[in-house]
Every structure is written in C-alpha cells, then in structure tokens.
Amino acid sequence: MVQRVAVVTGGSQGTGAAIAARLLADGFDVALTFTGDGDAAQRMADGIAVTGRRVLALRADSGQVTDNSAMVARVMAEFGRIDVLVCAAGFQVPDGLPAAGLAAFLLDVAVRGTMLEAIAAADHMGRDGRMIFVAPAPGAPSGVTGGPAVDAASLHGPAEAALTRFAQGLARDLGPHGITVNVVRPGPADGATQSGMVPPYYEAGDDLVDFVAFLASGPAGFISGATVVAERSKTDAAA
C-alpha cells in the first residue's frame, strides 16, 4: 500500500495545525510549514504526531518563490511524493493590522503565496492529487485598525475572489491529470448576520477541518473548481 503524503502550509498553529492533525489521523504523512519560532513549530509537530506516521516541520515563506521551491524539494527528498496540498498560511491573519497592512498580507500570503505553492507542487503531484485552498475570512467587522474606515470584509472579499478564480482555472488545467482543486472558507459564526450592510463574523472550527479532510479523500474526486462554505445547516448543527 502506498503511503500518501500531505503538505499543509501554515500548519504550525491554529486552523492549519488542526488540519495537519486531522490528516495525520486519517493516515497521511504530513509536512507542515511555518515562518515563526522553529522550536515551537517542532514541538507542535511532535505533539500531533501519530504512531506510524511521519511529521516534517519546514520553515518557508509562502510568498517567496525560492522558499516554495526549496520546501517542495525537501518534501520530495523526505517522502518521495506529494498527494495533497493544503494552503492555509493565509488564513491566520495577524491581529491589529491597519487596512494597508491587511491588504498587503492578503495579497502577499493568501493570494500570491497560494499561487506559488500550487505551482511548485503541481509538477510533483500525480493522479488523485488534491489541492485545497483555505480562504482567509474576517473576524470581527472592525478587523482593521486606524486610518480610513475600511472594513476587513472589504479587503477579504477580493482575496477570496482571486483564490476562487485561480482554483477554477487550475482545476481546468490539472483535471486531465486527475488532480482536483478547491477552495474552502469558513461560514458565519453562530448569531452572525448577513443582512443589510453589517458584515458577518466568521469562525473556523471542526466544520472547516472536516470539509478539508473530505476534499483530501478519494471519494471527493468528483469535486473540482468549487468554493465551499464550511457551515453546517441548522438541522445538522442541532443533531
């Protein structure tokens, strides 16, 4: 039996770490990337390790071509294959950014970084490969600080749109090779409203991790080029 390998960018904390842990539990060997404290990332990787599965923590800046090329080369040297790529580095938006800083982060990491990661991994992914882009989503409506009254949702929207169009194009390009490409974004938190001009709060939890795990699985091979919202229906949530 061939051992499948998943790469989770931004996998050393928060939602990325939860996704990495789930894929390990589902039987994948996992490589995860980080940009901060290497010792902390390794401790996290050791903490989610599953007996019989390998975890590799790699420092890589998602927005840099050389870092992505080196990351993929290291994964191939260690594991020999890439079956799943989860781009989650752009999901964990730093707190307290001014509007211009948030816009720069979204473009550099969430959009450009995802594109570079996908391009770097595509040449090493075979049939039944999976690419999953985790779209950034605003937290509180006042998610930016200082300057003009620009709401975080106004900045996240273009980033999500860019990821959606990129996924659609890449799904078309890679479909003949048996590779699927999809976007997952978190749904509104409980009690949030989409009505009027009040943007909703968003949260990432088990639903988002479940969606990513499903899209990484064999039975999800019929879904590609889609953007799915990780939000259970009221009936499912009450069950």
Side-chain angles (χ1 to χ4, degrees):
M1 180 178 177
V2 175
Q3 177 58 49
R4 287 170 63 78
V5 175
V7 176
V8 182
T9 67
S12 68
Q13 60 180 335
T15 298
I19 292 169
R22 173 60 182 272
L23 293 177
L24 277 167
D26 286 351
F28 287 87
D29 286 342
V30 172
L32 57 89
T33 70
F34 66 93
T35 56
D37 185 342
D39 291 338
Q42 188 59 56
R43 287 195 298 271
M44 193 285 307
D46 293 341
I48 65 171
V50 176
T51 301
R53 300 288 173 248
R54 292 182 291 170
V55 184
L56 178 66
L58 299 171
R59 185 184 300 277
D61 184 340
S62 296
Q64 298 299 319
V65 175
T66 53
D67 278 24
N68 283 297
S69 297
M71 178 269 290
V72 168
R74 178 74 185 281
V75 172
M76 293 301 296
E78 292 286 338
F79 297 115
R81 60 189 294 130
I82 298 174
D83 298 286
V84 173
L85 172 67
V86 180
C87 299
F91 182 82
Q92 301 293 145
V93 178
D95 293 329
L97 290 177
L102 177 57
F105 174 86
L106 292 171
L107 291 175
D108 291 344
V109 180
V111 177
R112 183 172 185 268
T114 294
M115 295 177 74
L116 293 177
E117 290 158 359
I119 291 168
D123 288 339
H124 302 278
M125 193 172 281
R127 295 198 69 83
D128 294 324
R130 303 283 186 264
M131 291 190 182
I132 304 160
F133 307 152
V134 182
S142 56
V144 294
T145 61
V150 177
D151 191 88
S154 300
L155 302 175
H156 282 76
E160 183 183 324
L163 287 180
T164 296
R165 291 300 298 270
F166 178 56
Q168 290 170 344
L170 206 58
R172 179 197 61 230
D173 297 338
L174 300 181
H177 303 282
I179 299 170
T180 66
V181 187
N182 294 288
V183 178
V184 179
R185 71 172 177 85
D190 290 343
T193 178
Q194 190 83 47
S195 63
M197 296 299 292
V198 180
Y201 290 82
Y202 291 80
E203 63 182 1
D206 293 342
D207 291 352
L208 187 143
V209 175
D210 289 344
F211 267 79
V212 171
F214 172 69
L215 290 173
S217 70
F222 66 95
I223 303 173
S224 194
T227 296
V228 296
V229 181
E231 179 187 16
R232 294 184 190 273
S233 68
K234 296 185 185 302
T235 300
D236 290 340

